[in-house]
Amino acid sequence: MNPVEQQLRTFITENFFVEDGDLRGEISLTRSGIIDSTGVMEILLFLEERFGISVPDDEITPENLDTLDNLVRYVSQAENRVSA
Amino acid sequence: MKAPGAAFAEDLVDFDRAAAVERITSTLRDQVTKRLHRRGVVLGLSGGIDSTVCAALAARALGPDRVLGLLMPESHSAEESTPLGQLAADHLGIPTLIEDITPVLEALGCYRRQEAAIRRVLPGYGEGWRSKIVLPSVVDSDSYRLFTLVAQSPEGESFRVRLTPTAYLELVAATNFKQRVRKMLEYHHADRLVYAVLGTPNRLEYDQGFFVKNGDGAADLKPIAHLYKTQVYALAEHLDLPRAIRDRPPTTDTYSLPQSQEEFYFSLPYGLMDRCLWAHDRGLTPAETAVGTGLSEDQVGRVFADIEAKRRATRYQHARPLLVEEGVEVDA
């Protein structure tokens, strides 16, 4: 597991009371009831504080944020943009 | 937009209004006197359509002298709210009391806590500023809909700032004092008069959790919770309620800047939101609903997803206190 995924997984399991084994990479965090809109806000804040990623409004979408896999991909892409 | 299908959701407007009134009033009379064993009802009159229709139905069911209307303005209330609430009461012949809740809210620190929450994202916010929180439209994009703070300085300069979770939660928690203080006063008068407290949510609000738990969500009976907002307006017309109230745009009347229910919660005009919820309740597909609403299939899909998301997120609002042992609940 890469370090980004590990940090995201730890944040989600600890903050939203989901068992680590239940947090599959492709599961929808909103439709499964793990997070609601306040949870999305908390994830945005976590991305900013932990990874220094400020997510613009038009990128606050399910395809970037709704699953652990999507989050890992989004953070990796954002970090690549910063380092490029 | 396409022209909405003529037959779609016709029972939202084309229903037997007299029968609906009779059904509600006879149920209400039975619930208050035989099930709850109360002598009348108390309700808050906001000058809006829902509370006015509820007051009219209660006055028909119990007699106007057994309905107490409470007018409960506070310093952020719109100027017209109290006069419109009084207009409703005068029209129906029901007694009223004015309870200005501003001093209670000040004592609780409601306004101070609101300002402190806002200063987390807008440090200059303070005396003389006004604000509200708004959501983007549900139909325009797939983006998550997150609250934005809209503020106006005393000089008239406008600001839009994304809320952090802490600022959002603190602001909402402070603002919820308003609904909870009003409910406390409703129960005070209910206790003193041996009345029941009548809650005024319509179906849209009830279904989508648009209420404060133990605030406006608390009541002994909710006589219009099965009616779509469109139907509430239809009953208001049928009951010949004052035009000034029927013509007033739905508002939350909760934040210091004027805030529509649309921008605070539903994201669509109520008529369209009603049609989407009606279609969703009947299991219509987004394609079928698109024909009936003039929205695109994609847009309907987003509205349906939002309806389901709100139901999930607000289950807690509806939940009764949980007990460890089943069978202990007392049936009222």
Side-chain angles (χ1 to χ4, degrees):
Chain A
M1 191 182 302
N2 74 44
V4 169
E5 179 177 350
Q6 186 60 60
Q7 290 179 75
L8 285 162
R9 179 175 282 280
T10 302
F11 174 73
I12 292 167
T13 53
E14 289 183 354
N15 274 272
F16 304 116
F17 302 103
V18 52
E19 296 294 329
D20 190 55
D22 294 337
L23 185 60
R24 299 192 312 276
E26 75 286 1
I27 197 171
S28 165
L29 298 174
T30 52
R31 282 198 302 279
S32 63
I34 294 172
I35 62 168
D36 58 12
S37 58
T38 310
V40 175
M41 295 166 94
E42 289 178 72
I43 287 177
L44 289 175
L45 189 64
F46 178 73
L47 297 186
E48 189 163 346
E49 290 180 344
R50 180 62 59 89
F51 302 109
I53 298 167
S54 183
V55 184
D57 287 347
D58 60 355
E59 292 182 12
I60 305 176
T61 58
E63 67 183 26
N64 290 333
L65 309 174
D66 194 39
T67 69
L68 182 61
D69 287 348
N70 292 2
L71 277 162
V72 171
R73 189 176 58 244
Y74 180 71
V75 169
S76 304
Q77 286 169 351
E79 286 183 328
N80 287 339
R81 278 204 302 257
V82 171
S83 59
Chain B
M1 280 189 183
K2 291 170 283 186
F8 182 86
E10 62 186 4
D11 56 340
L12 279 180
V13 283
D14 186 17
F15 65 102
D16 187 338
R17 298 169 191 195
V21 168
E22 173 52 31
R23 179 180 175 220
I24 294 169
T25 52
S26 63
T27 304
L28 194 154
R29 192 180 310 118
D30 186 67
Q31 288 174 336
V32 172
T33 59
K34 296 196 170 66
R35 290 191 59 187
L36 300 168
H37 300 288
R38 302 277 131 175
R39 300 167 190 169
V41 294
V42 57
L43 79 165
L45 286 179
S46 67
I49 196 77
D50 297 318
S51 62
T52 305
V53 166
C54 283
L57 293 166
R60 279 196 174 211
L62 304 166
D65 55 333
R66 288 182 179 274
V67 180
L68 174 63
L70 294 182
L71 306 166
M72 296 177 281
E74 49 93 18
S75 64
H76 292 163
S77 298
E79 270 180 31
E80 68 272 21
S81 295
T82 298
L84 285 175
Q86 190 63 57
L87 172 69
D90 292 344
H91 179 83
L92 300 168
I94 67 173
T96 57
L97 286 171
I98 296 182
E99 296 270 15
D100 185 338
I101 62 171
T102 306
V104 182
L105 293 174
E106 281 172 347
L108 286 166
C110 168
Y111 304 114
R112 173 178 53 77
R113 292 174 210 258
Q114 282 184 319
E115 290 181 10
I118 292 170
R119 276 196 293 274
R120 286 183 180 276
V121 292
L122 192 60
Y125 191 90
E127 185 81 28
W129 285 65
R130 295 194 302 158
S131 63
K132 61 180 173 181
I133 57 177
V134 298
L135 281 172
S137 166
V138 68
V139 297
D140 292 341
S141 81
D142 280 328
S143 293
Y144 285 120
R145 300 168 52 248
L146 303 180
F147 277 110
T148 297
L149 176 81
V150 174
Q152 197 176 70
S153 72
E155 294 75 35
E157 196 179 355
S158 290
F159 298 82
R160 286 182 76 91
V161 192
R162 190 191 297 172
L163 284 159
T164 61
T166 303
Y168 165 71
L169 292 170
E170 287 180 353
L171 179 56
V172 171
T175 306
N176 287 351
F177 275 130
K178 298 181 182 185
Q179 287 86 349
R180 294 197 172 114
V181 165
R182 289 190 175 112
K183 193 56 64 176
M184 180 177 68
L185 283 163
E186 289 167 30
Y187 271 100
H188 163 72
H189 289 289
D191 287 348
R192 143 181 111 70
L193 297 165
V194 198
Y195 277 13
V197 169
L198 189 154
T200 66
N202 58 59
R203 188 180 194 128
L204 209 47
E205 293 172 338
Y206 187 76
D207 182 292
Q208 294 287 279
F210 183 53
F211 56 83
V212 175
K213 189 166 190 173
N214 294 331
D216 52 335
D220 299 316
L221 66 161
K222 298 181 177 178
I224 63 167
H226 61 296
L227 295 179
Y228 295 91
K229 185 111 181 164
T230 307
Q231 296 174 318
V232 178
Y233 275 99
L235 284 196
E237 185 186 12
H238 175 75
L239 294 165
D240 199 24
L241 298 180
R243 178 58 83 171
I245 294 169
R246 283 156 49 198
D247 288 346
R248 186 187 191 194
T251 168
T252 64
D253 205 14
T254 297
Y255 286 84
S256 52
L257 276 176
Q259 179 193 50
S260 68
Q261 290 189 346
E262 197 176 318
E263 64 189 358
F264 181 57
Y265 204 75
F266 296 120
S267 302
L268 286 177
Y270 73 84
L272 201 49
M273 192 64 214
D274 269 350
R275 293 162 84 84
C276 289
L277 183 62
W278 181 92
H280 188 273
D281 286 345
R282 280 154 187 78
L284 269 60
T285 64
E288 291 165 332
T289 307
V291 173
T293 56
L295 296 170
S296 73
E297 204 175 322
D298 280 351
Q299 289 174 323
V300 173
R302 292 187 193 114
V303 176
F304 280 7
D306 194 56
I307 286 172
E308 287 158 20
K310 284 214 175 74
R311 281 182 181 163
R312 274 196 306 273
T314 60
R315 240 176 245 150
Y316 159 81
Q317 305 272 96
H318 289 277
R320 292 167 57 170
L322 301 174
L323 308 183
V324 168
E325 195 171 320
E326 287 191 25
V328 181
E329 294 94 342
V330 178
D331 252 352

PDB file of all heavy atoms in Angstrom, chain B residues 242-256:
ATOM      1  N   PRO B 242     -55.009  34.729   2.955  1.00  0.00           N
ATOM      2  CA  PRO B 242     -54.621  36.047   2.413  1.00  0.00           C
ATOM      3  C   PRO B 242     -53.591  35.960   1.289  1.00  0.00           C
ATOM      4  O   PRO B 242     -52.618  35.215   1.366  1.00  0.00           O
ATOM      5  CB  PRO B 242     -54.035  36.764   3.641  1.00  0.00           C
ATOM      6  CG  PRO B 242     -54.700  36.125   4.807  1.00  0.00           C
ATOM      7  CD  PRO B 242     -54.891  34.679   4.422  1.00  0.00           C
ATOM      8  N   ARG B 243     -53.827  36.743   0.277  1.00  0.00           N
ATOM      9  CA  ARG B 243     -52.986  36.764  -0.925  1.00  0.00           C
ATOM     10  C   ARG B 243     -51.525  37.103  -0.572  1.00  0.00           C
ATOM     11  O   ARG B 243     -50.589  36.541  -1.137  1.00  0.00           O
ATOM     12  CB  ARG B 243     -53.605  37.787  -1.890  1.00  0.00           C
ATOM     13  CG  ARG B 243     -52.877  38.012  -3.180  1.00  0.00           C
ATOM     14  CD  ARG B 243     -52.699  36.785  -4.011  1.00  0.00           C
ATOM     15  NE  ARG B 243     -53.824  36.437  -4.840  1.00  0.00           N
ATOM     16  CZ  ARG B 243     -53.763  35.469  -5.767  1.00  0.00           C
ATOM     17  NH1 ARG B 243     -52.662  34.765  -5.942  1.00  0.00           N
ATOM     18  NH2 ARG B 243     -54.799  35.181  -6.497  1.00  0.00           N
ATOM     19  N   ALA B 244     -51.335  38.014   0.393  1.00  0.00           N
ATOM     20  CA  ALA B 244     -49.963  38.432   0.743  1.00  0.00           C
ATOM     21  C   ALA B 244     -49.140  37.254   1.243  1.00  0.00           C
ATOM     22  O   ALA B 244     -47.926  37.203   1.042  1.00  0.00           O
ATOM     23  CB  ALA B 244     -50.011  39.521   1.812  1.00  0.00           C
ATOM     24  N   ILE B 245     -49.791  36.313   1.893  1.00  0.00           N
ATOM     25  CA  ILE B 245     -49.081  35.125   2.392  1.00  0.00           C
ATOM     26  C   ILE B 245     -48.882  34.117   1.268  1.00  0.00           C
ATOM     27  O   ILE B 245     -47.810  33.533   1.121  1.00  0.00           O
ATOM     28  CB  ILE B 245     -49.865  34.499   3.573  1.00  0.00           C
ATOM     29  CG1 ILE B 245     -49.855  35.473   4.757  1.00  0.00           C
ATOM     30  CG2 ILE B 245     -49.285  33.138   3.963  1.00  0.00           C
ATOM     31  CD1 ILE B 245     -50.786  35.113   5.883  1.00  0.00           C
ATOM     32  N   ARG B 246     -49.893  33.946   0.440  1.00  0.00           N
ATOM     33  CA  ARG B 246     -49.772  32.986  -0.667  1.00  0.00           C
ATOM     34  C   ARG B 246     -48.734  33.429  -1.682  1.00  0.00           C
ATOM     35  O   ARG B 246     -48.111  32.610  -2.360  1.00  0.00           O
ATOM     36  CB  ARG B 246     -51.132  32.806  -1.347  1.00  0.00           C
ATOM     37  CG  ARG B 246     -52.060  31.917  -0.531  1.00  0.00           C
ATOM     38  CD  ARG B 246     -53.520  32.168  -0.837  1.00  0.00           C
ATOM     39  NE  ARG B 246     -53.814  32.178  -2.251  1.00  0.00           N
ATOM     40  CZ  ARG B 246     -54.920  32.707  -2.793  1.00  0.00           C
ATOM     41  NH1 ARG B 246     -55.826  33.274  -2.007  1.00  0.00           N
ATOM     42  NH2 ARG B 246     -55.115  32.663  -4.078  1.00  0.00           N
ATOM     43  N   ASP B 247     -48.540  34.736  -1.807  1.00  0.00           N
ATOM     44  CA  ASP B 247     -47.593  35.252  -2.812  1.00  0.00           C
ATOM     45  C   ASP B 247     -46.170  35.377  -2.279  1.00  0.00           C
ATOM     46  O   ASP B 247     -45.248  35.702  -3.029  1.00  0.00           O
ATOM     47  CB  ASP B 247     -48.049  36.630  -3.304  1.00  0.00           C
ATOM     48  CG  ASP B 247     -49.280  36.535  -4.182  1.00  0.00           C
ATOM     49  OD1 ASP B 247     -49.606  35.406  -4.615  1.00  0.00           O
ATOM     50  OD2 ASP B 247     -49.925  37.574  -4.430  1.00  0.00           O
ATOM     51  N   ARG B 248     -45.977  35.158  -0.990  1.00  0.00           N
ATOM     52  CA  ARG B 248     -44.643  35.349  -0.412  1.00  0.00           C
ATOM     53  C   ARG B 248     -43.727  34.201  -0.846  1.00  0.00           C
ATOM     54  O   ARG B 248     -44.087  33.030  -0.671  1.00  0.00           O
ATOM     55  CB  ARG B 248     -44.757  35.377   1.112  1.00  0.00           C
ATOM     56  CG  ARG B 248     -43.456  35.709   1.816  1.00  0.00           C
ATOM     57  CD  ARG B 248     -43.624  35.547   3.331  1.00  0.00           C
ATOM     58  NE  ARG B 248     -42.483  36.100   4.032  1.00  0.00           N
ATOM     59  CZ  ARG B 248     -42.216  35.883   5.307  1.00  0.00           C
ATOM     60  NH1 ARG B 248     -43.030  35.144   6.035  1.00  0.00           N
ATOM     61  NH2 ARG B 248     -41.141  36.405   5.880  1.00  0.00           N
ATOM     62  N   PRO B 249     -42.535  34.495  -1.382  1.00  0.00           N
ATOM     63  CA  PRO B 249     -41.629  33.401  -1.759  1.00  0.00           C
ATOM     64  C   PRO B 249     -41.186  32.624  -0.516  1.00  0.00           C
ATOM     65  O   PRO B 249     -40.976  33.244   0.532  1.00  0.00           O
ATOM     66  CB  PRO B 249     -40.423  34.111  -2.389  1.00  0.00           C
ATOM     67  CG  PRO B 249     -40.842  35.523  -2.601  1.00  0.00           C
ATOM     68  CD  PRO B 249     -41.950  35.814  -1.633  1.00  0.00           C
ATOM     69  N   PRO B 250     -41.069  31.302  -0.614  1.00  0.00           N
ATOM     70  CA  PRO B 250     -40.618  30.528   0.551  1.00  0.00           C
ATOM     71  C   PRO B 250     -39.239  31.000   1.026  1.00  0.00           C
ATOM     72  O   PRO B 250     -38.344  31.218   0.207  1.00  0.00           O
ATOM     73  CB  PRO B 250     -40.529  29.093   0.017  1.00  0.00           C
ATOM     74  CG  PRO B 250     -41.381  29.069  -1.197  1.00  0.00           C
ATOM     75  CD  PRO B 250     -41.321  30.453  -1.773  1.00  0.00           C
ATOM     76  N   THR B 251     -39.107  31.184   2.317  1.00  0.00           N
ATOM     77  CA  THR B 251     -37.850  31.673   2.877  1.00  0.00           C
ATOM     78  C   THR B 251     -37.535  30.894   4.139  1.00  0.00           C
ATOM     79  O   THR B 251     -38.440  30.355   4.774  1.00  0.00           O
ATOM     80  CB  THR B 251     -37.946  33.180   3.218  1.00  0.00           C
ATOM     81  OG1 THR B 251     -36.825  33.557   4.005  1.00  0.00           O
ATOM     82  CG2 THR B 251     -39.203  33.484   4.019  1.00  0.00           C
ATOM     83  N   THR B 252     -36.255  30.838   4.496  1.00  0.00           N
ATOM     84  CA  THR B 252     -35.920  30.200   5.771  1.00  0.00           C
ATOM     85  C   THR B 252     -36.130  31.181   6.919  1.00  0.00           C
ATOM     86  O   THR B 252     -36.368  30.777   8.042  1.00  0.00           O
ATOM     87  CB  THR B 252     -34.460  29.731   5.801  1.00  0.00           C
ATOM     88  OG1 THR B 252     -33.619  30.880   5.700  1.00  0.00           O
ATOM     89  CG2 THR B 252     -34.163  28.784   4.648  1.00  0.00           C
ATOM     90  N   ASP B 253     -35.990  32.478   6.630  1.00  0.00           N
ATOM     91  CA  ASP B 253     -36.112  33.539   7.638  1.00  0.00           C
ATOM     92  C   ASP B 253     -35.266  33.218   8.869  1.00  0.00           C
ATOM     93  O   ASP B 253     -35.719  33.378   9.999  1.00  0.00           O
ATOM     94  CB  ASP B 253     -37.582  33.738   8.031  1.00  0.00           C
ATOM     95  CG  ASP B 253     -37.820  35.163   8.566  1.00  0.00           C
ATOM     96  OD1 ASP B 253     -36.935  36.014   8.370  1.00  0.00           O
ATOM     97  OD2 ASP B 253     -38.868  35.397   9.174  1.00  0.00           O
ATOM     98  N   THR B 254     -34.057  32.784   8.634  1.00  0.00           N
ATOM     99  CA  THR B 254     -33.200  32.321   9.723  1.00  0.00           C
ATOM    100  C   THR B 254     -31.865  33.063   9.774  1.00  0.00           C
ATOM    101  O   THR B 254     -31.310  33.277  10.835  1.00  0.00           O
ATOM    102  CB  THR B 254     -32.942  30.803   9.560  1.00  0.00           C
ATOM    103  OG1 THR B 254     -34.192  30.127   9.678  1.00  0.00           O
ATOM    104  CG2 THR B 254     -32.008  30.270  10.614  1.00  0.00           C
ATOM    105  N   TYR B 255     -31.352  33.458   8.613  1.00  0.00           N
ATOM    106  CA  TYR B 255     -30.060  34.150   8.578  1.00  0.00           C
ATOM    107  C   TYR B 255     -30.269  35.649   8.344  1.00  0.00           C
ATOM    108  O   TYR B 255     -31.353  36.076   7.899  1.00  0.00           O
ATOM    109  CB  TYR B 255     -29.169  33.538   7.497  1.00  0.00           C
ATOM    110  CG  TYR B 255     -28.634  32.185   7.920  1.00  0.00           C
ATOM    111  CD1 TYR B 255     -29.390  31.034   7.737  1.00  0.00           C
ATOM    112  CD2 TYR B 255     -27.403  32.076   8.553  1.00  0.00           C
ATOM    113  CE1 TYR B 255     -28.919  29.790   8.154  1.00  0.00           C
ATOM    114  CE2 TYR B 255     -26.926  30.835   8.973  1.00  0.00           C
ATOM    115  CZ  TYR B 255     -27.681  29.702   8.771  1.00  0.00           C
ATOM    116  OH  TYR B 255     -27.214  28.489   9.204  1.00  0.00           O
ATOM    117  N   SER B 256     -29.229  36.444   8.634  1.00  0.00           N
ATOM    118  CA  SER B 256     -29.411  37.895   8.599  1.00  0.00           C
ATOM    119  C   SER B 256     -29.530  38.431   7.183  1.00  0.00           C
ATOM    120  O   SER B 256     -30.099  39.500   6.969  1.00  0.00           O
ATOM    121  CB  SER B 256     -28.285  38.592   9.374  1.00  0.00           C
ATOM    122  OG  SER B 256     -27.017  38.152   8.933  1.00  0.00           O
TER     123      SER B 256
END
